[in-house]
Amino acid sequence: MNSKIVSAALAACAAVWGAAPASAARQFTKLGDIKVDTKRGAPMIEIEVNGKTGLMALDTAAFNTMLTRSGADALGIPRGDKLNNFQVFGSDGKEIQTTVRTLTDVVLGSTFRVKQLPVLILPQTGGSDVVGSIGVDILAASDIEFDLANGNIALFTSKGCGKDSLAYWTDRYSTAALKRTDDYKIITTVALNGRPLMAQISSSRSNSIVDQSAAAGAGVKPGDAGVEMLGSAGGAARQVWTGSFESFAVGEEQIKNVRLPFADLWGRMVSSSTGSNVRTKFENMPAMLLGLDFLRAHRVLIANSQGKMYFSYNGGPILAKPTETGAIKP
């Protein structure tokens, strides 16, 4: 991760959000709301810049906010500066050439204003009105509430709250600890057949999915009775399976006899350093991705200020029935 981009993004966030007043001992202050459209099967947020608008997919699994080249053109954003000492690789393992640009006076979700927003510009083009994706760089400096059932994301600052509950909307909730990472991924610990796994919130996936090695560690693997192949992602080399697990738990919330898709999630994800041709797998990657199915079924507060996730059940399936199109999205 490029430290200059991280610093610029967080500085931009601080400039927009500021600090809560110091007068009260305990403060949990809403900074603003971002309207979200989930009708397309993925959370979409409207972006307005230069008097022009487009849609951005919310991707909590990505740090950087990104625009496609065609999306930047549609918003009237010129080509950015080439990044040095920073490399981006796609799911096929090939390097993607990127540039960076800082946008000014951006409006997100019709109401939330950002004074400065650094974005990566990727070379991809397309005819869609989706111009790019929003990563957690916009959200990382705050506590984040996902209320997708009501089409809303809210941002908060917290001061002096200690261990007090921040689940202000209910007294019936579950909690799970968050793992702090350098790139602000939303990581928590889940249990699959009683085995603890590191899981990441990934709003860009319709279905939650488990890494194949973690599924095997929980006793489920290709060839076992009841295990079926759903299809392939990124070519035949990346097969996706579905199997039944005796139990799955997030914090105090537990599901019995759950069916989940699994695949080799990170086998082709590699990195390399500038000046070196040696490419290695990323380390400490999550063993599970909690997708949009989990976020739809819950109201979720990511309390970065406390290192804790609060969530309450909205209704419906917590983990959606695996489907070929939902499970194998690259």
Side-chain angles (χ1 to χ4, degrees), residues 46-246:
E46 184 181 82
I47 182 173
E48 180 182 343
V49 61
N50 297 328
K52 300 179 180 180
T53 61
L55 291 178
M56 302 277 279
L58 176 67
D59 187 359
T60 59
F63 177 82
N64 292 104
T65 293
M66 304 180 187
L67 292 172
T68 62
R69 180 65 264 163
S70 58
D73 290 342
L75 295 173
I77 299 166
R79 193 175 300 274
D81 300 320
K82 189 179 185 304
L83 287 168
N84 295 318
N85 303 319
F86 183 77
Q87 293 171 291
V88 177
F89 295 96
S91 58
D92 59 0
K94 296 181 179 179
E95 184 179 358
I96 301 172
Q97 297 296 326
T98 60
T99 58
V100 65
R101 192 87 185 180
T102 298
L103 311 184
T104 58
D105 297 322
V106 179
V107 180
L108 297 174
S110 302
T111 58
F112 194 81
R113 293 185 176 273
V114 181
K115 293 180 180 178
Q116 291 186 318
L117 177 62
V119 297
L120 297 180
I121 300 177
L122 307 183
Q124 289 92 334
T125 60
S128 170
D129 57 350
V130 179
V131 297
S133 61
I134 291 177
V136 293
D137 51 352
I138 292 179
L139 312 174
S142 72
D143 291 348
I144 317 153
E145 180 191 355
F146 296 96
D147 184 13
L148 298 187
N150 292 308
N152 196 65
I153 293 174
L155 306 179
F156 296 85
T157 58
S158 173
K159 182 178 180 180
C161 294
K163 297 181 179 180
D164 293 349
S165 171
L166 300 182
Y168 66 93
W169 66 91
T170 183
D171 59 359
R172 298 175 62 85
Y173 60 86
S174 299
T175 63
L178 295 174
K179 176 180 174 63
R180 185 177 295 277
T181 66
D182 291 339
D183 51 0
Y184 296 91
K185 290 186 175 79
I186 304 175
I187 300 285
T188 188
T189 300
V190 302
L192 190 63
N193 285 357
R195 293 174 59 92
L197 303 176
M198 189 168 65
Q200 179 178 359
I201 302 290
S202 179
S203 61
S204 62
R205 286 185 174 271
S206 56
N207 283 87
S208 299
I209 188 168
V210 180
D211 186 67
Q212 188 165 329
S213 61
V220 179
K221 58 186 182 300
D224 287 351
V227 172
E228 302 173 355
M229 192 174 80
L230 287 177
S232 299
R238 201 165 160 215
Q239 295 175 328
V240 182
W241 308 82
T242 178
S244 295
F245 298 85
E246 292 179 3

Side-chain angles (χ1 to χ4, degrees), residues 310-325:
Y310 297 87
F311 54 105
S312 60
Y313 179 55
N314 285 334
I318 293 175
L319 299 173
K321 180 181 179 181
T323 62
E324 183 174 349
T325 54

Side-chain angles (χ1 to χ4, degrees), residues 208 248 255 258-260 288 290 293-294 317-321:
S208 299
F248 171 75
I255 313 170
V258 61
R259 195 162 186 86
L260 285 168
M288 183 175 185
L290 286 173
D293 49 357
F294 178 81
I318 293 175
L319 299 173
K321 180 181 179 181

